[in-house]
Amino acid sequence: MGVLILALVAGAVVGLSLGALGGGGGILTVPALVGLLDVPPVAAGTAGLLVVTVTSVTALTLHARDGLVRWRTGLLFAAAGVPPALAGGAVAARLPDAVLTGAFALIATAAALRMLFPGAADDGVRPPRPGRAFAAGAGLGATTGVLGVGGGFLAVPALTGVLGLRMREAAGTSLLVITANSLAALSTRTGTTQGLDWGVLAPFAGAAVLGAWDGNRLAARVSGRVLRRVFAVVLLAVAAFMTVRTLV
């Protein structure tokens, strides 16, 4: 019962993050599965992609209903990331657990600092640059494939800083990118589901989907700056936890 409650609470937090910020689902799901539910890192990456894909589709529908998805921009950005996501998914199964958790901690820290100190680029005033957009999309796809995260915590800053989208549009559009990258990465991970307890994963995913609805409503009431800062603190805590786990 205790494990089920943990799964429900963690899933709800993941859904809130995706619904409110358009990202953060995978980077919270994987540590929750590894640290709270004792799932091996590679299998946790696969489970994270499953949860993030289902939840992102739900949140994407809600943002699209509000007119906050830039479909053409999102599809072009995602197209650059699909090949690296496929390659990264194949590489992940060959990497040691310590490498995966260590890389996860580093990226979580970088994302947290990016959210705490966004700079002028997040005001959405920088004109799009195709070369930078392609590079950002490719890097995001590689991260998705290797670590099993949807990449929204990186997509939102990229969509605002590189492509000039406003925060709420970037959050909605990032869900389209997350869905495409996650599906691509999942296609290469069919043999990495060992160690998954579907009796726990299903409630986790269900709570995440419900949380996405609440997150969407929360985003309309709380400023993006406050949401980013709260999420950054959570990311730093996650990074610290994963670092300790790697070293112990």
Side-chain angles (χ1 to χ4, degrees):
M1 181 61 70
V3 172
L4 180 59
I5 292 174
L6 284 175
L8 290 171
V9 172
V13 172
V14 167
L16 280 170
S17 176
L18 281 168
L21 292 173
I27 206 166
L28 295 177
T29 299
V30 174
L33 292 172
V34 172
L36 300 179
L37 305 178
D38 292 323
V39 178
V42 174
T46 302
L49 288 169
L50 287 168
V51 171
V52 167
T53 299
V54 173
T55 310
S56 294
V57 169
T58 302
L60 175 62
T61 302
L62 298 173
H63 282 76
R65 180 193 62 189
D66 297 333
L68 297 173
V69 178
R70 296 278 291 272
W71 294 96
R72 182 180 178 185
T73 299
L75 289 172
L76 289 173
F77 194 85
V82 169
L86 291 170
V91 168
R94 297 179 172 86
L95 294 177
D97 289 351
V99 172
L100 291 174
T101 53
F104 206 106
L106 288 174
I107 291 178
T109 300
L113 294 176
R114 185 71 176 84
M115 286 187 163
L116 285 174
F117 308 104
D122 278 355
D123 293 334
V125 297
R126 181 178 294 178
R129 297 180 183 178
R132 294 183 63 189
F134 184 86
L140 185 66
T143 301
T144 297
V146 174
L147 298 183
V149 297
F153 68 101
L154 297 175
V156 172
L159 289 168
T160 54
V162 178
L163 300 184
L165 271 64
R166 299 292 177 181
M167 179 59 194
R168 293 198 67 193
E169 284 186 331
T173 304
S174 76
L175 292 165
L176 176 60
V177 178
I178 291 168
T179 301
N181 283 348
S182 296
L183 287 172
L186 271 174
S187 69
T188 68
R189 285 175 170 256
T190 54
T192 60
T193 57
Q194 295 85 357
L196 294 184
D197 184 347
W198 296 98
V200 174
L201 184 59
F204 191 113
V209 169
L210 293 176
W213 287 82
D214 292 330
N216 181 258
R217 289 194 291 267
L218 181 64
R221 299 178 182 178
V222 181
S223 71
R225 178 177 297 179
V226 171
L227 291 172
R228 285 197 300 270
R229 287 179 176 175
V230 170
F231 184 58
V233 172
V234 174
L235 282 181
L236 288 174
V238 167
F241 172 80
M242 296 298 276
T243 300
V244 171
R245 186 179 179 87
T246 302
L247 297 176
V248 173

